[in-house]
Amino acid sequence: MARLGLISIQERIPPSFTSWIVDFNLDGRPARLSCVAVAEHGGVPHGLDNDVSLALIALYQDAGCPEDGTIVTTAYRILTAIGWDTSGHYYQALKESLERLATATFTASEAWRSGKRWTTVKFRYIDRLEYTSEDDRLGLSGQSVLKIRLAREIVDSIRDKYLKPLDLQLLTSLERPLTRALYRLLDAQRVLPDGGEVMQFRVNIVEWAKACKIVDQTPAKVRRTLEGAHVELVERGYLSEVRYEGRGAKQEIIYVFAKDTSLSEEALEAVALLARYGVARSVAYDLINIYGLDRINERLNRFEAILQAGYTPRNRAGFLVDVIRDDEGKYADPAGFVSHVHPSKRSAAGARKAGAVHRSEEPEQPAEFADWEGLDARGRAEKALKMLSFILGKGFPTAYYGALMDAFVAGTLDPLEVTKAAIKAQIERRMARFIEELMQMLGV
């Protein structure tokens, strides 16, 4: 998705810009990418829609990449995930963006990767959109609950690991939507098909304007459109240089990517290994700074041994980070794997695990609840909603999620207690009865 640049990087476009077609060569074969939208929703997806699309992918991954591509969240959660202000204006902007992503149709002709082949697909970014509203204008607010089903093509792409982790710390610090969109498009060019890193990217200015979905593709206008983003990416150290060669429509833009020299070669290798499993660079840097390379490498070996032993985590990146951070001995060495942890530390960890066996049979607080104490009321409500959407599944209508969120925020229902009750009902195989009772309690 990032390499194809489905969403125009321009912050503003005329509503009449309702379609585009880009022809290009892919592995020596002709390919075509097109988009058809409607003026009613502001033309083709553009500008801030890049932020929204990235937030939806992040929330989908955070939900454990459900097979049906459906996530349940709130408008407030999407805005905070993007880093937007939670004032009324941005709720309206979010609604407009979601409507564009739900109505614009993309066609990738011999340009969409499926398995080991390039195929032709037609899809909308959002396949289904449901939300609750508190006003007669059917707008979004902080209490609005959304159920969003991503396109099958996008879901399969994510689940098949066609992913390149983004530096979210850098991305969210960039000031302009256009700069953030250009960063995503450029970052997708940094990896070769064999996994090697590209340090310089050269492209014809008109072809790049097409890739960016810029409306006016005259070279002088393209240079003016991109100038501010180029300056910001150089100032932030992502690019070391941007230069132009040639004239008119034949000129080329040369992007020179900055090499990260703040870490040693060994540390950069560790970052690359972590990224292979989906850990973002900013997270990888933090882990290396906190725990050091010896621990990172030892825990990577343990993580890989656990996978080879047959365990399949729902979220590999999250599981790897938890293995690295674990100080309680939660993860035993698989058979045949010998950890390089100091013997005294291994003994202490073993003693803790042995002692746990002889504790009372009262179940431990699930790991999902470990960080609830530090959350405010809204944070607890959001956390509960995310877990409940996974537990309750399709049997719980969107309108009831809105009522549930209202009850959590008002304090008439306790998010933690409802979540625990749902988990218990799931274990005891009485989920249908639990959902019925919960719906009666909400009285929608």
Side-chain angles (χ1 to χ4, degrees):
M1 289 180 292
R3 288 184 68 88
L4 292 176
L6 298 179
I7 300 173
S8 170
I9 72 169
Q10 286 197 255
E11 295 174 46
R12 295 176 181 83
I13 62 169
S16 58
F17 185 36
T18 57
S19 66
W20 49 256
I21 297 176
V22 177
D23 293 305
F24 56 100
N25 287 316
L26 194 59
D27 293 342
R29 299 168 56 187
R32 169 173 287 186
L33 188 67
S34 66
C35 176
V36 177
V38 293
E40 177 187 353
H41 297 306
V44 299
H46 63 279
L48 294 174
D49 301 344
N50 278 288
D51 292 343
V52 174
S53 69
L54 182 60
L56 295 181
I57 289 176
L59 291 171
Y60 172 71
Q61 291 178 288
D62 192 40
C65 300
E67 197 278 335
D68 67 353
T70 299
I71 55 175
V72 176
T73 186
T74 64
Y76 179 87
R77 179 71 183 91
I78 296 176
L79 291 186
T80 54
I82 297 170
W84 291 1
D85 184 67
T86 53
S87 66
H89 165 74
Y90 284 98
Y91 285 107
Q92 178 61 27
L94 174 61
K95 181 175 182 288
E96 293 171 358
S97 177
L98 292 171
E99 288 174 340
R100 280 192 291 273
L101 295 175
T103 55
T105 300
F106 298 97
T107 303
S109 302
E110 294 296 310
W112 190 265
R113 195 69 171 175
S114 178
K116 296 183 178 180
R117 299 185 304 157
W118 295 106
T119 63
T120 296
V121 296
K122 178 177 287 190
F123 61 92
R124 292 168 298 156
Y125 203 102
I126 295 176
D127 192 50
R128 185 176 178 83
L129 173 64
E130 299 177 40
Y131 61 88
T132 62
S133 182
E134 295 184 325
D135 59 41
D136 296 335
R137 294 176 296 171
L138 304 180
L140 293 178
S141 68
Q143 303 301 106
S144 294
V145 175
L146 300 97
K147 181 182 282 189
I148 297 170
R149 187 170 71 207
L150 298 177
R152 180 79 259 162
E153 290 75 13
I154 294 175
V155 168
D156 288 344
S157 183
I158 295 171
R159 289 172 62 87
D160 290 342
K161 305 300 181 185
Y162 290 124
L163 300 170
K164 181 185 184 300
L166 289 167
D167 185 342
L168 294 180
Q169 187 174 359
L170 171 62
L171 179 68
T172 55
S173 70
L174 298 173
E175 293 184 4
R176 296 180 58 194
L178 189 147
T179 308
R180 295 194 292 273
L182 183 63
Y183 161 69
R184 288 185 67 192
L185 197 56
L186 281 171
D187 206 57
Q189 312 298 325
R190 292 196 69 168
V191 178
L192 295 169
D194 62 3
E197 186 176 10
V198 174
M199 293 308 298
Q200 181 173 297
F201 174 58
R202 177 188 292 261
V203 62
N204 172 269
I205 192 168
V206 177
E207 294 303 313
W208 190 234
K210 293 178 182 178
C212 295
K213 314 303 180 294
I214 295 173
V215 180
D216 189 339
Q217 297 175 359
T218 56
K221 180 63 176 178
V222 174
R223 291 181 67 151
R224 284 196 297 271
T225 299
L226 297 176
E227 183 179 8
H230 288 168
V231 170
E232 188 174 1
L233 289 173
V234 171
E235 288 177 347
R236 296 306 312 278
Y238 178 74
L239 297 173
S240 63
E241 181 185 8
V242 180
R243 64 178 186 271
Y244 295 87
E245 291 184 1
R247 293 186 176 182
K250 293 184 178 181
Q251 66 184 294
E252 293 184 317
I253 309 176
I254 296 92
Y255 291 102
V256 182
F257 298 107
K259 185 177 176 66
D260 192 336
T261 58
S262 61
L263 295 177
S264 65
E265 288 296 325
E266 188 179 2
L268 289 173
E269 288 178 9
V271 170
L273 284 172
L274 292 167
R276 189 177 69 187
Y277 292 109
V279 178
R281 283 194 295 170
S282 58
V283 175
Y285 293 159
D286 289 342
L287 292 172
I288 291 171
N289 289 332
I290 294 170
Y291 298 108
L293 281 176
D294 289 344
R295 173 155 165 166
I296 296 294
N297 290 327
E298 186 272 323
R299 295 300 174 89
L300 266 168
N301 290 335
R302 177 180 295 177
F303 166 80
E304 290 175 342
I306 292 172
L307 296 188
Q308 290 171 8
Y311 178 65
T312 305
R314 191 173 65 183
N315 183 329
R316 291 205 303 176
F319 178 64
L320 172 54
V321 171
D322 197 44
V323 170
I324 293 171
R325 289 175 173 167
D326 174 39
D327 285 321
E328 302 299 323
K330 288 193 294 185
Y331 304 104
D333 293 342
F337 174 77
V338 180
S339 172
H340 297 293
V341 178
H342 191 277
S344 63
K345 293 183 179 179
R346 287 177 55 83
S347 298
R352 284 195 297 269
K353 296 174 82 173
V357 174
H358 300 291
R359 292 176 190 154
S360 67
E361 295 184 1
E362 181 70 22
E364 288 187 359
Q365 181 87 320
E368 290 88 346
F369 301 133
D371 58 351
W372 282 54
E373 293 302 321
L375 298 175
D376 60 14
R378 180 174 284 278
R380 289 163 68 87
E382 293 278 358
K383 190 86 169 179
L385 199 72
K386 182 180 77 173
M387 295 180 67
L388 289 168
S389 68
F390 180 75
I391 297 167
L392 302 179
K394 299 177 181 178
F396 201 66
T398 306
Y400 283 89
Y401 279 112
L404 190 60
M405 186 66 177
D406 290 342
F408 287 159
V409 173
T412 55
L413 286 178
D414 184 282
L416 182 57
E417 293 306 317
V418 172
T419 305
K420 286 181 178 180
I423 292 173
K424 185 177 180 182
Q426 186 180 47
I427 293 171
E428 296 175 354
R429 298 188 178 183
R430 52 178 183 85
M431 183 55 67
R433 179 61 181 166
F434 174 82
I435 289 176
E436 182 181 344
E437 293 173 350
L438 186 58
M439 290 170 65
Q440 289 175 355
M441 190 182 305
L442 294 171
V444 175

